[in-house]
Amino acid sequence: MSKKMKIMVIGDAMIPGKDFESAAKKYLSDYVEEIITGDWENNWDNLQRRRLEVEKKGPEIEEVVPLIKEKGQDVSMLFGLFVPISKETFNYLPKVKIIGVSRAGLENVNVKEATQRGVLVFNVQGRNAEAVSDFAIGLLLAECRNIARAHYAIKNGQWRKEFSNSDWIPELKGKTVGIIGFGYIGRLVAKKLSGFEVRRLVYDPYVSEEEIRECGCIPVDKETLFKESDFITLHARLTEENKNLVGKYEISLMKPTAYIINTARAGLIDKEALIEALKTKRIAGAALDVFWEEPIPSDSELLELDNVTLTSHLAGTTKEALTRSPELLMEDVKKFIEGQKARFIVNPEVLENQEFKKWLEGVKK
C-alpha cells in the first residue's frame, strides 16, 4: 500500500481550487490522505494584473501565499495555475517534492530553486493549444475582412463599406502564411490552415527542417518569411533572445499588403515599430490579443488606428481549455508515480536526486 500524503491545491479566478481538488481526487486518491484547498486571487481583473506582472518580473515580486505559510509544513505536492512560487515560498514547504502548474508558462515558478531543492516541477503543454490556434485563425480573418470593424460600425448606426484595405481585401486561397514558432500551437495552426489551400512557411530555429516538411510546411529563414508572407502569425515563447523578434527591420521586409497576428506574447513585437508601420500603412494591418500593458491604456495609439483588431487576451480561454488542464496535470503526475512515461516534467535532473528517489520509493510502497 502506498504512503499517503498531504497535498495542496491553490486555484484562482480562472481555475478555482475546487476544480484542482476534483482532479486530484480523480487521479491521486490512492496516494493522498488530505487535500488542502484554497485560491490565490479570486478577482478576475486583479488576477490579470497580478499574473501579468509575475510573467514580466517573476514570482519573487509577490508575497508568499498565506495558505502556504499557514499549512505548508507537511505538504508533499503543490498544484495550481498562476499561484506564485518564489524562492521564499519553498521555506514554507520543507517537505514538498512535486510542484505542478496547469499551464505551459513557468514564469510564476522559480524552477531553478525547485531544482536545487530536489523538487520535481510539472507543467501542462498544449492545454489551450486548440483554443489559441482557433483564435489565431479567427483574428486573421477578422482583421483582413474587417469583421470587427463592420460590426462596430453597424452597432453605431453606420453601414460601412469602405475600409483601410478596401483596395486589396484578400481571399486566403493561394496566399502565403508565415508561422513563427512551430510548437504544438504553431503546428495546429498549420494543420487548420491547410483547408484554406494556403502556402505555409515556418521559421523556428529549434525545430528540424524534416519535422516542418512532415507537416506539409516549408522551412525558411526569418528574412524569407517576412518577405514572402501575406500573413504572419506568432506562436513563439518569449525569451530574452527573441524579445522584439518583430522589429523595424523585420517589418521593413513585409509586403505593404501583409498582416501580422499575435496571440503569443506582446514582447515578441517592438511596440513602437508596429505602431509606426500601422500609422504609415507600411503594412496592411495587425490583430493583437496580447499587449505590453494589460488592460491596454486608454491613451494608447492603437485605439486610434483603423487597421488593427484588438481583443482582450482571450485566445486561450475556452471552457475546454480551462476544465481540461487540472486533469491533464494530475493524470501526468499519477503516471509518473506509477512508473509510466510522464509528458510534462520540466526539470528531469531532479530524478537523480537521492532524497527525491528515496521519497518516491516511499510513495510507491
Side-chain angles (χ1 to χ4, degrees), residues 126-146:
R127 73 174 179 93
N128 60 4
E130 293 287 352
V132 175
S133 57
D134 287 351
F135 201 86
I137 295 170
L139 276 184
L140 185 156
L141 289 166
E143 172 55 29
C144 75
R145 298 300 304 275
N146 301 297

Side-chain angles (χ1 to χ4, degrees), residues 9 12 34 41 72 106 162 166 174-175 179 181 212 239 253 255 302 332 358-359:
V9 296
D12 49 51
E34 181 183 352
E41 175 55 77
L106 288 159
E162 292 295 322
S166 288
K175 299 299 187 297
I179 301 169
I212 293 169
T239 66
L253 301 175
K255 301 176 184 179
L302 289 170
D332 207 51
K358 184 178 179 181
W359 171 83

Side-chain angles (χ1 to χ4, degrees), residues 6-20:
K6 291 184 181 180
I7 70 172
M8 181 178 287
V9 296
I10 301 179
D12 49 51
M14 188 171 284
I15 305 180
K18 62 182 179 61
D19 289 358
F20 283 97

